Amino acid sequence: KIFAKLQVILPHYLLSKLIHTLASCKIECIKNAFISFFMKKFHVSLDENIIKDPTQFLNFNDFFIRQLDLASPQGRKISLASTIISPVDGNVLTATHIHHGQLFQAKGRTYSLATLLVEQQPNSAKTNTQLFANGSTFTIYLAPKDYHRVHMPYTGKLMHMTYIPGRLFAVNPTSCNNIHNIFARNERVINIFQTDFGYMAVILVGALLVGSM
């Protein structure tokens, strides 16, 4: 709870800009030291990645969004028999149905679907909230050590993309358990797709020190 309360007074965007500046630095001694520290701190392995030598990344940001070597015989396999795949390589925190316009956050906390989506098209035949009112939802948390690229979970056509400004609270389990309405308060990008089974939303949520998506 102390960590959650401390985040309320932190200058989120100033901290994120400072980290972005450091993450963009291409000076070898600085970027290599930063990457080395991060790998040791969060136990990052490059065995599954295309670039396996940490000194070969252009900067820390290049390392942070490193690519998996999917073509390698030892690389990650994607099942072609799957109906849908995970859009990111993280831990599933929640997987539930939407009930009465409410989504499950954590430990009994819920938040509003309408608040999360922030309706931007009032003249549409149906609002986004109505489109997903009886749908299912899952929340996937990307830890610092995880692969930070997003993939399409199912074939679809992008209908519209909306950027929503907001805070940059950390989105780890501790914060989710203690900060109310966190996903609807954080900066995010809402992507609405048309698919064979109906509409699908892929929402990218920013986090503390990670304000770019």
Side-chain angles (χ1 to χ4, degrees), residues 129-147:
T129 302
Q130 291 172 321
L131 289 176
F132 299 109
N134 298 309
S136 298
T137 176
F138 56 93
T139 304
I140 307 176
Y141 167 61
L142 290 178
K145 67 178 180 61
D146 288 328
Y147 164 76

Side-chain angles (χ1 to χ4, degrees), residues 29-48:
C29 61
I30 296 177
K31 61 99 173 175
N32 288 343
F34 192 12
I35 292 172
S36 177
F37 166 79
F38 191 91
M39 290 183 67
K40 291 177 182 177
K41 173 70 175 177
F42 296 105
H43 308 289
V44 176
S45 171
L46 299 178
D47 291 344
E48 293 184 316

Side-chain angles (χ1 to χ4, degrees), residues 42-61:
F42 296 105
H43 308 289
V44 176
S45 171
L46 299 178
D47 291 344
E48 293 184 316
N49 298 107
I50 292 177
I51 297 178
K52 294 178 172 55
D53 180 356
T55 65
Q56 295 304 305
F57 292 104
L58 295 177
N59 50 34
F60 179 83
N61 192 56

Side-chain angles (χ1 to χ4, degrees), residues 8-150:
V8 175
I9 62 173
L10 284 177
H12 292 181
Y13 280 93
L14 175 60
L15 290 173
S16 294
K17 285 181 179 180
L18 291 174
I19 291 298
H20 177 73
T21 300
L22 179 59
S24 302
C25 179
K26 295 182 179 180
I27 299 174
E28 288 200 7
C29 61
I30 296 177
K31 61 99 173 175
N32 288 343
F34 192 12
I35 292 172
S36 177
F37 166 79
F38 191 91
M39 290 183 67
K40 291 177 182 177
K41 173 70 175 177
F42 296 105
H43 308 289
V44 176
S45 171
L46 299 178
D47 291 344
E48 293 184 316
N49 298 107
I50 292 177
I51 297 178
K52 294 178 172 55
D53 180 356
T55 65
Q56 295 304 305
F57 292 104
L58 295 177
N59 50 34
F60 179 83
N61 192 56
D62 190 32
F63 157 77
F64 197 65
I65 58 170
R66 56 197 178 275
Q67 288 183 274
L68 290 175
D69 187 3
L70 298 177
S72 168
Q74 294 78 34
R76 194 77 58 86
K77 303 302 178 186
I78 298 175
S79 173
L80 298 179
S82 298
T83 302
I84 190 169
I85 65 168
S86 174
V88 291
D89 197 19
N91 294 323
V92 178
L93 298 183
T94 66
T96 63
H97 292 293
I98 299 170
H99 294 289
H100 305 294
Q102 295 292 308
L103 292 84
F104 178 75
Q105 180 174 306
K107 282 191 176 179
R109 292 181 181 271
T110 61
Y111 59 105
S112 163
L113 175 63
T115 305
L116 176 69
L117 294 176
V118 187
E119 298 298 353
Q120 297 290 313
Q121 297 188 342
N123 297 323
S124 299
K126 276 191 175 183
T127 65
N128 291 334
T129 302
Q130 291 172 321
L131 289 176
F132 299 109
N134 298 309
S136 298
T137 176
F138 56 93
T139 304
I140 307 176
Y141 167 61
L142 290 178
K145 67 178 180 61
D146 288 328
Y147 164 76
H148 278 74
R149 287 180 179 245
V150 181

